[in-house]
């Protein structure tokens, strides 16, 4: 009879499935906290990302380091590289401050307390990041960090060993867009 009235109704099973999906869908803040916990515990953080998700650290460009990592495999490789650079990289929940929080986006600052493998130097490193969530997974994490502090910790001679700057300096790639 309802179909005759021109209204389309979904089955109870379909409605229940949509409801269960809605209540289990992860929001941006939850995804950020899970991402930081995965990195801290050496878990595969890439599984939290969409297939085409990206992790960006634009200011690494100024050191000549690749700054954009797209896809789960590339994100896994970056995580492995970080594990090779630092003895004990980790982010504690008490060192994470969420400043902007919506279901689709979160902006937070978080501190890493770590030791550089190459030098043994301890680094207390502040990050700021924007995370974009889409369909319960991470579409984008764009992190900012102090590259001078990272260079001081990682390079035996600190920033003195960086190449002499060119006449024109880009802190991010010239084609970078937010």
């Amino acid at each position: 009879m309802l179909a005759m009235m021109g209204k389309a109704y979904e089955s109870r099973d379909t409605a229940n499935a949509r409801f269960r999906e809605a209540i289990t869908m992860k929001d941006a803040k939850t995804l950020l906290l899970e991402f930081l916990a995965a990195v801290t515990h050496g878990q595969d953080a890439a599984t939290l990302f969409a297939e085409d998700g990206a992790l960006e650290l634009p200011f690494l460009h100024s050191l000549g380091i690749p700054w954009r990592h797209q896809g789960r495999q590339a994100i896994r490789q970056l995580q492995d590289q970080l594990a090779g650079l630092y003895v004990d990289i980790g982010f504690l929940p008490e060192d994470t401050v969420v400043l902007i929080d919506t279901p689709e986006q979160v902006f937070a600052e978080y501190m890493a307390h770590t030791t550089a493998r190459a030098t043994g130097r301890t680094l207390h490193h502040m990050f700021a990041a924007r995370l974009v969530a889409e369909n319960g997974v991470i579409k984008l994490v764009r992190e900012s960090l102090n590259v001078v502090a990272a260079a001081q910790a990682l390079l035996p001679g600190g920033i003195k060993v960086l190449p002499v700057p060119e006449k024109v300096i880009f802190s991010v790639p010239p084609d970078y867009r937010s």
Side-chain angles (χ1 to χ4, degrees):
M1 179 169 175
L2 293 174
M4 294 187 310
M5 295 169 50
K7 295 183 180 180
Y9 287 90
E10 61 189 1
S11 73
R12 183 177 301 240
D13 290 340
T14 302
N16 286 339
R18 282 188 339 98
F19 177 74
R20 279 191 306 277
E21 180 181 313
I23 62 173
T24 60
M25 185 86 57
K26 295 178 183 176
D27 66 3
K29 180 179 176 182
T30 300
L31 287 166
L32 175 70
L33 296 175
E34 288 183 8
F35 169 72
L36 295 175
V39 170
T40 298
H41 295 88
Q43 298 165 342
D44 185 2
T47 61
L48 298 168
F49 283 78
E51 287 289 331
D52 64 343
L55 176 55
E56 298 178 347
L57 298 106
F59 298 113
L60 291 181
H61 167 79
S62 63
L63 298 175
I65 298 172
W67 64 277
R68 190 170 205 291
H69 309 274
Q70 185 165 9
R72 291 180 181 152
Q73 184 60 34
I75 293 165
R76 250 181 226 108
Q77 290 171 344
L78 175 63
Q79 188 178 357
D80 290 344
Q81 289 172 347
L82 285 175
L85 292 174
Y86 298 102
V87 174
D88 52 0
I89 193 156
F91 303 95
L92 301 174
E94 59 267 23
D95 291 333
T96 302
V97 179
V98 174
L99 300 166
I100 300 172
D101 182 12
T102 72
E104 296 82 26
Q105 295 191 48
V106 64
F107 182 82
E109 294 177 341
Y110 39 93
M111 182 78 74
H113 306 281
T114 188
T115 304
R117 280 193 195 280
T119 64
R121 293 182 184 127
T122 300
L123 174 62
H124 302 280
H125 205 156
M126 171 74 74
F127 290 79
R130 172 180 165 241
L131 181 146
V132 178
E134 185 177 278
N135 298 319
V137 293
I138 300 171
K139 186 68 174 179
L140 172 69
V141 172
R142 181 171 295 140
E143 286 184 323
S144 297
L145 68 148
N146 182 332
V147 294
V148 173
Q152 291 286 62
L154 294 168
L155 302 173
I159 60 172
K160 293 182 286 188
V161 301
L162 293 176
V164 175
E166 297 179 12
K167 182 91 170 150
V168 177
I169 299 168
F170 287 92
S171 67
V172 296
D175 60 345
Y176 174 82
R177 298 290 174 261
S178 290

